[in-house]
């Protein structure tokens, strides 16, 4: 959920109870004010009628008046000091409907005679007035709420614009161009603090990237040179006729170890370069062409091990990939398919526009998922075999170029499939 949506929801959760409570309080206060005004009118009317009855009964006569909204008659009760005012229900004259009334009831001594005075005032107009005002208040509150939400959305969107601009830069940032990225100063203190931290972070990352790039470039050159010299010296030693059989075996073992060390060095440097994004993706390559090239390079090895290769190229699998990485991707998958195959085995290569698969027979069991792309992973079921760095390199290339790689083992066949994004 977006931050603006969350803010709006929290705002609504806070505003709705406040508006409802405020509306209820206004309604009660308005109703009380109307009742208070009606009560004052009732008391004023009572005073007027008391004065009138006093004048009429001054000669000792009695007075009786019965009307729908007014009752005055003598009673045999003690006079009360204050009138009683309450809301009652009554029937509207000439209509068979019941409406609320505000009623004053008071026993008053007039010329020594207690009289019951009952005065009622219809609350029908109050009910209509309250209903109209309530409707107006609801409309005002709804309009106010909608306007507040709209203004809150507009203001929030404007206030968060610097953050979105910084986020957009972060999404499209690249290590090679990180030194050119600058997060501008804004009018908001918090965003200025964020952008200052981002500027410091990008400078540090770019500095670290340059250090790693320089190290890998130097290591690629400096480490390969002594390895090549050592291998050359070993080959010269092998030409010495005075060597004994055990000495020759020892030199051959050392030469083999140096060769593995050279390949390991190249693989580790390749991984470091991939992780440091030192291979700029500029070309769109067809992996079918790369596969045909490496089939020719592995042809002699395939023939020696009597491996049958079946190809099914139904489409061109094109990816935006650096040529070095494309070669490494295909050579590692195809090299593993040859290396770990059985004599007289089979390799199947199926390629379409969205999918690239290499399958091979093997005597080794399925690779556990937790060991599949792990560097130098050794499956528990096959302790004599290591996954080395080849699959780790394939996985890293796929991840950095948004390709999906899947592994399956069915009927003694290891199958690796690479799928393009959106498949």
């Amino acid at each position: 959920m977006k931050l603006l949506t969350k803010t709006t929801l929290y705002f609504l959760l806070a505003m709705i109870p406040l508006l409802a409570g405020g509306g209820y309080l206004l309604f009660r206060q308005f109703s009380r004010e109307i009742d208070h005004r009606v009560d004052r009118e009732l008391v004023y009317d009572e005073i007027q009628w008391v004065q009138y009855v006093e004048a009429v009964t001054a000669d000792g006569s009695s007075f009786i008046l019965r009307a729908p909204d007014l009752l005055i008659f003598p009673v045999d009760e003690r006079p009360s000091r204050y009138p009683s005012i309450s809301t009652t229900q009554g029937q509207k004259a000439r209509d068979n409907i019941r409406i609320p009334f505000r009623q004053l009831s008071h026993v008053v001594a007039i010329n020594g005679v207690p009289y019951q005075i009952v005065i009622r005032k219809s609350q029908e107009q109050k009910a209509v007035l309250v209903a109209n005002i309530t409707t107006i208040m609801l409309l005002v509150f709804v309009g106010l709420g909608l306007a507040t939400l709209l203004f809150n959305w507009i203001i929030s969107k404007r206030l968060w614009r610097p953050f979105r601009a910084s986020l957009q830069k972060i999404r499209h940032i690249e290590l090679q161009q990180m030194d050119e990225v600058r997060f501008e100063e804004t009018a908001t203190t918090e965003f200025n603090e964020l952008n200052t931290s981002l500027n410091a972070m990008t400078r540090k990352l770019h500095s670290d990237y340059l250090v790693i790039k320089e190290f890998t470039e130097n290591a690629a050159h400096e480490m390969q040179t002594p390895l090549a010299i050592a291998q050359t010296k070993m080959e010269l030693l092998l030409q010495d006729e005075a060597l004994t059989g055990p000495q020759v075996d020892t030199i051959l073992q050392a030469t083999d170890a140096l060769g593995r060390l050279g390949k390991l060095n190249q693989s580790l440097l390749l991984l470091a370069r991939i992780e440091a994004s030192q291979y700029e993706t500029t070309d769109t390559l067809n992996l079918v062409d790369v596969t045909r090239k490496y089939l020719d390079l592995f042809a002699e090895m395939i023939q020696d091990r009597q491996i049958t290769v079946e190809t099914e190229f139904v489409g061109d699998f094109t990816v935006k990939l650096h040529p070095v990485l494309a070669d490494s991707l295909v050579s590692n998958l195809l090299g593993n398919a040859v290396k770990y195959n059985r004599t007289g085995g089979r390799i199947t290569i199926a390629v379409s526009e969205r999918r690239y698969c290499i399958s091979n027979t093997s005597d080794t069991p399925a690779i556990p998922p937790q060991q599949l792309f792990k560097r130098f992973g050794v499956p528990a079921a096959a302790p004599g075999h290591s996954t080395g760095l080849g699959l780790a390199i394939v996985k890293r290339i796929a991840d950095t170029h948004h390709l999906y790689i899947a592994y399956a083992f069915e009927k003694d066949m290891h199958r690796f499939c690479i799928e393009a994004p959106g498949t």
Side-chain angles (χ1 to χ4, degrees):
M1 186 182 293
K2 291 185 177 180
L3 184 61
L4 180 57
T5 306
K6 273 191 173 183
T7 305
T8 304
L9 287 177
Y10 289 143
F11 179 77
L12 283 175
L13 291 175
M15 286 298 296
I16 289 176
L18 288 176
L19 289 175
Y24 175 73
L25 291 176
L26 286 175
F27 174 80
R28 286 197 61 183
Q29 186 64 28
F30 179 74
S31 179
R32 286 179 179 177
E33 186 64 27
I34 292 179
D35 288 343
H36 181 65
R37 293 176 66 88
V38 172
D39 293 348
R40 290 177 61 184
E41 291 178 2
L42 288 172
V43 171
Y44 179 76
D45 289 346
E46 181 192 16
I47 294 173
Q48 297 294 319
W49 280 108
V50 167
Q51 292 176 352
Y52 176 76
V53 173
E54 285 179 347
V56 172
T57 60
D59 56 357
S61 61
S62 65
F63 181 85
I64 298 176
L65 176 62
R66 297 182 182 273
D69 295 335
L70 180 62
L71 292 175
I72 301 176
F73 56 91
V75 293
D76 189 14
E77 295 180 13
R78 294 181 60 182
S80 57
R81 187 173 181 179
Y82 299 107
S84 172
I85 302 176
S86 62
T87 300
T88 61
Q89 294 288 327
Q91 189 168 336
K92 185 178 180 182
R94 300 181 183 180
D95 291 322
N96 192 22
I97 59 173
R98 296 185 65 80
I99 60 173
F101 284 89
R102 194 69 174 167
Q103 178 177 289
L104 180 146
S105 180
H106 198 191
V107 177
V108 183
I110 302 176
N111 295 325
V113 179
Y115 277 85
Q116 175 73 58
I117 300 177
V118 178
I119 305 174
R120 298 194 307 175
K121 280 190 177 292
S122 172
Q123 296 286 82
E124 185 178 12
Q125 290 185 352
K126 174 197 170 183
V128 174
L129 183 61
V130 168
N132 290 337
I133 291 179
T134 302
T135 302
I136 294 172
M137 286 174 60
L138 287 175
L139 292 176
V140 170
F141 283 167
V142 170
L144 182 62
L146 292 176
T148 304
L149 287 176
L150 179 61
F151 285 124
N152 180 62
W153 182 79
I154 293 173
I155 293 171
S156 297
K157 193 171 182 180
R158 183 179 181 85
L159 289 176
W160 284 94
R161 190 176 297 166
F163 172 79
R164 294 188 177 278
S166 299
L167 184 62
Q168 192 71 9
K169 285 185 178 181
I170 294 173
R171 284 175 176 169
H172 296 88
I173 200 168
E174 293 184 3
L175 282 173
Q176 299 89 337
Q177 302 173 351
M178 194 170 284
D179 60 327
E180 301 174 1
V181 177
R182 290 291 179 272
F183 296 90
E184 294 81 6
E185 187 175 351
T186 68
T188 306
T189 302
E190 289 77 8
F191 291 150
N192 281 336
E193 294 176 357
L194 174 64
N195 288 350
T196 301
S197 300
L198 288 174
N199 283 326
M201 182 187 69
T202 53
R203 286 194 297 269
K204 182 67 170 60
L205 287 174
H206 185 68
S207 175
D208 293 344
Y209 163 74
L210 293 178
V211 171
I212 294 173
K213 182 180 179 182
E214 184 179 1
F215 167 76
T216 53
E217 289 174 350
N218 292 339
H221 176 72
E222 298 298 334
M223 292 180 68
Q224 288 291 32
T225 301
L227 286 173
I229 294 173
Q231 284 183 316
T232 303
K233 296 295 183 181
M234 289 295 180
E235 292 173 0
L236 290 175
L237 279 175
L238 286 173
Q239 298 175 11
D240 190 348
E241 296 179 356
L243 293 175
T244 63
Q247 290 175 333
V248 171
D249 291 338
T250 302
I251 295 173
L252 286 174
Q253 291 174 5
T255 303
D256 182 60
L258 285 172
R260 290 200 307 267
L261 182 59
K263 291 179 181 179
L264 175 61
N265 178 57
Q266 291 177 352
S267 298
L268 288 172
L269 290 174
L270 178 62
L271 270 173
R273 287 182 173 182
I274 294 171
E275 291 172 351
S277 302
Q278 293 184 18
Y279 290 100
E280 295 185 11
T281 305
T282 56
D283 300 328
T284 300
L285 302 177
N286 182 7
L287 291 192
V288 173
D289 297 334
V290 181
T291 304
R292 288 196 176 103
K293 179 178 71 174
Y294 278 94
L295 282 174
D296 293 337
L297 293 174
F298 288 122
E300 186 175 349
M301 188 184 301
I302 291 171
Q303 186 176 0
D304 290 342
R305 302 191 61 183
Q306 301 176 2
I307 298 173
T308 303
V309 179
E310 301 173 359
T311 58
E312 186 181 354
F313 299 147
V314 297
D316 294 335
F317 188 86
T318 57
V319 290
K320 201 169 184 182
L321 202 62
H322 193 280
V324 172
L325 300 184
D327 287 348
S328 180
L329 181 70
V330 175
S331 64
N332 275 298
L333 290 176
L334 188 56
N336 284 347
V338 175
K339 179 179 179 181
Y340 297 106
N341 214 319
R342 65 169 69 104
T343 301
R346 187 173 80 257
I347 295 176
T348 302
I349 304 174
V351 183
S352 64
E353 292 182 356
R354 309 293 297 175
R355 193 178 177 91
Y356 179 92
C357 294
I358 293 182
S359 306
N360 65 279
T361 54
S362 178
D363 294 327
T364 60
I367 306 174
Q370 65 272 19
Q371 298 288 342
L372 183 57
F373 299 111
K374 186 178 179 181
R375 300 180 185 184
F376 307 108
V378 180
H385 299 275
S386 170
T387 57
L389 284 173
L391 292 180
I393 292 173
V394 170
K395 176 64 173 173
R396 181 58 61 185
I397 293 173
D399 290 345
T400 54
H401 292 81
H402 309 293
L403 300 172
Y404 175 74
I405 182 168
Y407 166 77
F409 181 77
E410 297 176 356
K411 300 178 181 179
D412 294 334
M413 294 281 289
H414 296 269
R415 183 175 71 249
F416 288 89
C417 290
I418 298 175
E419 298 178 357
T423 303

